[in-house]
Amino acid sequence: MRLTHLILSNIGPFRGTHIIDLTTPSASTGYAFFAKNTRGKTTIYNAMRWCLFGEARGRGKIINGKRVDGSSRPIVGDGEILMNDDAYDNDDPQEMSVMLIAEGLSGKIQVTRTAKSSTKFARNDSEMDIRLDVIIGSNPMTSGKEAQKEIESFFPRELERFFFIDGESLEDYTEMMESNSIEGLQDEVNAVLGIPALVKGSDDLTLLRQTLKSKIDKTSKAVKQSTSARDNALAQKRLLQEKLNVASEKQKQLQTVAGKFEETLKKMHVHQELAPLIEELKSLDTQILLKEANLLEAAKEKVSESKVAWKVLLWTQASKFHSELSAQKKKSDDSERSIEKTREDIERIKKNIEDVTGICEECGQPLPNIEKYKMKLKSELSEREEILERLEKSQIHSPDDLIIKLGELQKIKPQADSKERIIKSEAKWKRLSNDLESLREQKRNLNAKVSEEAISSVAELGELKGRQETMIATRTKELQEARKDVKVAELELTRLERLSGNTTQDKASIQLNSTISKIQVAIKNTMSSYREKARNEVEMRASEVFVRLNNMPEVYTGISVDKNFRTKIRNSKGGFERKPSSGLTSMMTISVLDALRQVSGLDAPVFLDTPGRSLDEEHKKELLDYFWQTEGHQFLIFAHSGEYTVEQAVQEHKGMLAKAWTLTFPGDHSTCYKAACQSHDVLYDAAKKQYTCQQCDLIWNTDSKETIVLEVEL
Amino acid sequence: MTELVKAGVAELSIELHNFISSLVFNNNNKLDSDQPFETIGNAFRFAFALGFQSDSRVSLSSKRKDIGVRGFRPEEFRILIEDMAFSEGLSLGAVISEYAESGAIQMKNFFDNGKDILRLLDEKP
């Protein structure tokens, strides 16, 4: 692929539209942009990256031996932006675009990416509409994601780093290549081999396999469930048949009992006229039972009350004796009291007789008739002693004996209401006894009307009817249970038959899964094999380039790439250069990058920003000699004036350089820079800071920061 | 005097013994029969009381049967009988038995007339 035109519009210092024509009749492959800092070298470099991939990243870094890309530069906003500052500040709408036109195997390739503000004076990228259009050969134009896919088809993003090389980042690459990190250039090699795509393909296959596996597992589970359900359904059918048999048997049993029950009812109908009598008999039996129970209680009560019946009888006589003894007791008590008083009188009289002195106690004079008085007292004493003797003789029973006897009699004395209670309980018993006899009489009369045989027959039929009713209830319940079991079994069978369905193993999925598995193994093996081949090829190609680039090829014989893709400079002694110069190291790095580019097989221009950095003069020349070789790829350098001068480059690489341009600001010119004029006859207006060409009237302001692209005449 | 009168044994002619035995309540048998006494002792006491009430004594026949000391003890009625027994030179049991024999005869007659025994509390035999 050869780049033919680059059209920049309002990007970086390029205000307005700038068309850079790379077409040339010669076969030379070298292109150069010469400029001082800030004139737009890196802007062109970034413009192409943005056009192709939609972003222009800042310089990356090497962290732990692994390259990490810089952050994406915004189109608009604060800080360093892609859009031209003047366009950003003043245009409405704000618009920036880059167009690449190239010739490829498929014909003309035209890529246009445009960023246009969607609002008035957009202040961030979310307010910008990005449009991408791609036309390849005679194919219709594609836009958006489709267009991006088209770009990736001829310029994979992973390979960008081998074609857009930043000289200022060479040291980073070098560090990465020499790093002890196990990864080294692994990502780069993977990119060259298209391994990310393979890995992505493998990942996609893994995802596909997971889906398939899930489907297979699901199907297998369903098949397993179906088989199990079929087995269960068969067992359930047998169970259902058993339940049906049971239900049928229960139905028959119920019918048999019902038939017998009907017969019993017919027989009972024959004895229907006896029924009331029998019912009455039953009622009498019940009443008799009840009455007997009552009579038993009454009999017990009568027995209990009659425990003292003999006392009632006996007391009619004993009470008289009791009264006599009570009278005796009273008499005895009276006599006792009289005896006691008499004794006290006797004692008092005796004392008086002894105490008589014949002298008056009050007046102390001798008493008259003292002897007469003494005789009177003795007579009283004698009288009292006779009374006492008589009283003592009259007392037959002692009071204590009488108390004992009265106590004994008290034991056989009934309660006042004993007789009444006994009579009452006896009357109650008698009444109940008569009632019972009456009931029995009624029963005897009824029994005379209904024969025992009939009663027995009716009773038996009644019992039979009762038993049959119970049996019918039992059989009905059993039948209901059996029918319920049948219903449950039928439902279960239906469920199992539905589960058993027509599920079959998904053989196609299994086969596909197996195939994908094999493909994944093949991919893995291929990647492993490719890596080793790639390592060999990178080592070989890098060595070839390095030998051509370095100025002591007899000493520095090549580059070694180990299995972890770490690189070292090999010397003629068969060892590795331990302390190579920075120039030599840069050469090694460029060699390896170019080797990777070659191995990638991608036919695309190479863009090298600030190529001569870190290189001495000899190596700088060697570098351009190598890359600007004829029949090679287009090789565009964006050189700082300190790296290469225009004159030197043109002089030293005449024939190799197809086209060259300078990028300048107007202020860089003190003569007319118009290609057709180039007059030195200019006037400078210091107040306005502007030059005016006196020949062609070109006016340019020395404060302007708008880049001028001028093609160098070779 | 007390030590001079013997307690003796309470007895009845065997026929009357059988009769008063039939007046003893049997829990589940013949509820409608007149069986007013809880024990034979009570039936004997009732017979004695009836005889004593009517002051009637009847000598026992040669075929007799005792009431049993667990059912009846003659000392229960010592207070009523002792003087009489002492004066007659009989034991308490002998005197009581003669009163009871008389009472049992009255009871049997009463019973045989279709009357309930306890009605004797109200009616003369």
Side-chain angles (χ1 to χ4, degrees), chain B residues 28-88:
Chain B
N28 289 319
N29 190 22
K30 296 182 180 176
L31 294 175
D32 50 350
S33 297
D34 188 22
Q35 298 170 331
F37 302 114
E38 187 181 29
T39 62
I40 193 169
N42 274 350
F44 183 80
R45 286 186 189 90
F46 191 86
F48 161 73
L50 199 57
F52 190 78
Q53 184 194 41
S54 58
D55 194 22
S56 168
R57 294 166 60 177
V58 173
S59 297
L60 279 66
S61 66
S62 59
K63 291 184 178 177
R64 55 183 69 176
K65 190 175 180 182
D66 68 86
I67 302 306
V69 290
R70 293 178 69 183
F72 179 82
R73 290 189 309 111
E75 285 87 344
E76 289 177 28
F77 299 113
R78 177 181 290 276
I79 185 66
L80 297 175
I81 303 300
E82 191 171 42
D83 290 346
M84 199 184 302
F86 177 74
S87 63
E88 293 177 19

Side-chain angles (χ1 to χ4, degrees), chain A residues 555-569:
Chain A
V555 178
Y556 305 116
T557 55
I559 290 172
S560 165
V561 180
D562 70 12
K563 63 179 181 179
N564 292 321
F565 298 95
R566 284 174 301 192
T567 58
K568 288 178 182 171
I569 296 170

